[in-house]
Amino acid sequence: MRATQATVNLAALRHNLSVVRQYAPHSKVLAVVKADAYGHGLLRATPGLEDADGFGVLRLSEALALREAGYSQTLLLLEGVFSADELMAAAEHAISIVVHNEQQLQMLEQAAPQLQHPLQVFLKMNSGMNRLGFRPDAFLAALERLGACSAVKSDIVLMTHFATADDERGVAPALDIFLRGTAGLSYPISLANSAAVLRHSTAHHDWVRPGIMLYGASPVTGVAAASYGLQPVMQLTSEVIAVQELKAGETLGYGARFTAEDEMRVAVVACGYADGYPRHAPNGTPIAIDGRISQTLGRVSMDMLFADLRHLPQAGVGSKVELWGQTVPVDAVAEASGTVGYELLCAVAPRVPFKVVG
């Protein structure tokens, strides 16, 4: 069997959930498991998060899979529903929904006579990200309509999402917009994503919504996940399947992107962009061989990539390779490649087999 595989560490998930509770001890935790639990596998990852107070998903099918697997916690559709059929199914299975536009509000009002079970609704305000949500001047009117709708439970949660929680601008402007727009209301509140959980305690409130931090990657560019006490959950590994001896002036791979200055040994690793490793990773992207840090060389191809063996004389065919995980943080690969850890974790290809430990 081909060597590339990924491992999901449930103990690390449990640890990272405990870190969330350390930072936000008075908040309920809605663990975000959308995008197949950020590439880790929805039903592979959730056993490590079973102590969360709820789960945030994108698709109705994900919520139904969690209900079928026996999860009784709050399940929230983060973009809400898009049809009357989805609305009926959400009500039948006690799945909470976000309402963020007029069409969804009307759908609830029109379906109310047919719904046997009212739904819990999270009402979203657009506090400046300009992606989803009612603008502040329309928010109270939407809330009043939800309060009058028999399809909606009384425990409406008020929410927004921060655009700059991860950088120096912080959450203060958006938080001020939200708090002024909801002044005097006594509903539960949900505001904080991973970056706000870690950096902005004023945004914690009743529910926090951690995502990337649960998987041991950092929501803040340039700040190591380990500095927040987080542990990597996914380890992507492979092995060396060939070694090339280059002479000075010889090149590597497609496009001849690397030229040897002197004689050198190069490892050929059984992992490429068809496995989810970024094709645009440049020369020098960190990689670990037999537990020691090295660097990639040349252009990543579909099924293989190259790594430097100049300082690893004992390494050869069969040597173990970590693309990211315990030794090489996924954020380090992402930073070298000009992207974010979220993308790399979510991009692991279906052909890569997973195993679960811990």
Side-chain angles (χ1 to χ4, degrees):
M1 186 175 74
R2 197 162 176 272
T4 304
Q5 70 171 12
T7 302
V8 173
N9 189 321
L10 297 183
L13 275 166
R14 288 188 284 268
H15 169 82
N16 295 339
L17 179 58
S18 75
V19 172
V20 175
R21 296 200 186 280
Q22 291 168 21
Y23 275 88
H26 305 298
S27 302
K28 293 182 180 180
V29 178
L30 188 89
V32 179
V33 293
K34 64 180 180 176
D36 204 25
Y38 287 54
H40 293 69
L42 180 67
L43 296 181
R44 283 192 292 266
T46 43
L49 299 170
E50 60 188 3
D51 289 337
D53 302 289
F55 295 102
V57 298
L58 197 71
R59 298 176 297 159
L60 178 62
S61 60
E62 294 170 318
L64 294 175
L66 290 174
R67 279 284 181 258
E68 186 176 347
Y71 291 95
S72 59
Q73 295 101 315
T74 296
L75 302 180
L76 179 64
L77 294 177
L78 293 166
E79 291 182 1
V81 294
F82 296 93
S83 70
D85 288 344
E86 286 191 341
L87 182 59
M88 295 295 179
E92 180 182 353
H93 296 279
I95 296 167
S96 303
I97 62 172
V98 168
V99 170
H100 58 78
N101 62 33
E102 173 66 20
Q103 291 74 22
Q104 291 176 330
L105 188 50
Q106 290 178 4
M107 193 186 307
L108 272 169
E109 292 170 332
Q110 292 166 4
Q114 288 80 44
L115 290 183
Q116 296 182 352
H117 307 287
L119 298 98
Q120 183 186 38
V121 168
F122 283 55
L123 179 63
K124 190 165 195 175
M125 179 189 290
N126 174 8
S127 58
M129 191 168 188
N130 292 316
R131 194 171 65 174
L132 298 178
F134 291 90
R135 288 188 174 273
D137 57 4
F139 190 77
L140 290 181
L143 179 60
E144 289 177 4
R145 288 169 63 185
L146 287 176
C149 181
S150 63
V152 177
K153 290 183 177 181
S154 60
D155 58 341
I156 300 167
V157 180
L158 312 182
M159 71 183 298
T160 195
H161 193 63
F162 297 123
T164 57
D166 58 334
D167 66 30
E168 68 280 356
R169 290 167 289 183
V171 302
L175 182 59
D176 181 62
I177 289 170
F178 178 85
L179 293 178
R180 283 191 286 110
T182 60
L185 301 176
S186 58
Y187 293 94
I189 292 173
S190 175
L191 306 176
N193 56 5
S194 289
V197 168
L198 295 170
R199 304 179 74 224
H200 304 289
S201 60
T202 55
H204 288 172
H205 290 271
D206 302 282
W207 284 91
V208 293
R209 306 190 305 273
I212 193 66
M213 67 178 294
L214 293 172
Y215 307 98
S218 176
V220 183
T221 301
V223 180
S227 69
Y228 295 117
L230 300 170
Q231 297 177 359
V233 173
M234 183 192 293
Q235 185 182 39
L236 183 65
T237 59
S238 189
E239 65 182 39
V240 176
I241 60 170
V243 174
Q244 296 295 334
E245 305 273 354
L246 297 190
K247 298 177 181 178
E250 291 187 329
T251 62
L252 277 178
Y254 289 118
R257 296 287 295 274
F258 176 82
T259 301
E261 295 181 355
D262 301 293
E263 291 186 359
M264 63 181 297
R265 298 171 70 238
V266 175
V268 181
V269 178
C271 184
Y273 61 77
D275 299 295
Y277 196 85
R279 182 178 182 271
H280 52 281
N283 291 325
T285 299
I287 192 170
I289 300 176
D290 289 337
R292 296 181 62 187
I293 294 292
S294 186
Q295 61 179 349
T296 65
L297 302 172
R299 178 176 286 166
V300 175
S301 55
M302 181 179 287
D303 307 306
M304 291 169 278
L305 55 82
F306 303 104
D308 192 346
L309 293 181
R310 280 176 290 190
H311 64 300
L312 300 173
Q314 304 306 315
V317 174
S319 287
K320 302 304 179 184
V321 176
E322 182 188 88
L323 290 310
W324 60 69
Q326 303 297 322
T327 304
V328 180
V330 68
D331 295 318
V333 179
E335 185 173 355
S337 305
T339 185
V340 289
Y342 305 70
E343 181 180 8
L344 300 188
L345 296 175
C346 291
V348 175
R351 79 177 190 178
V352 175
F354 275 77
K355 68 175 182 178
V356 177
V357 299

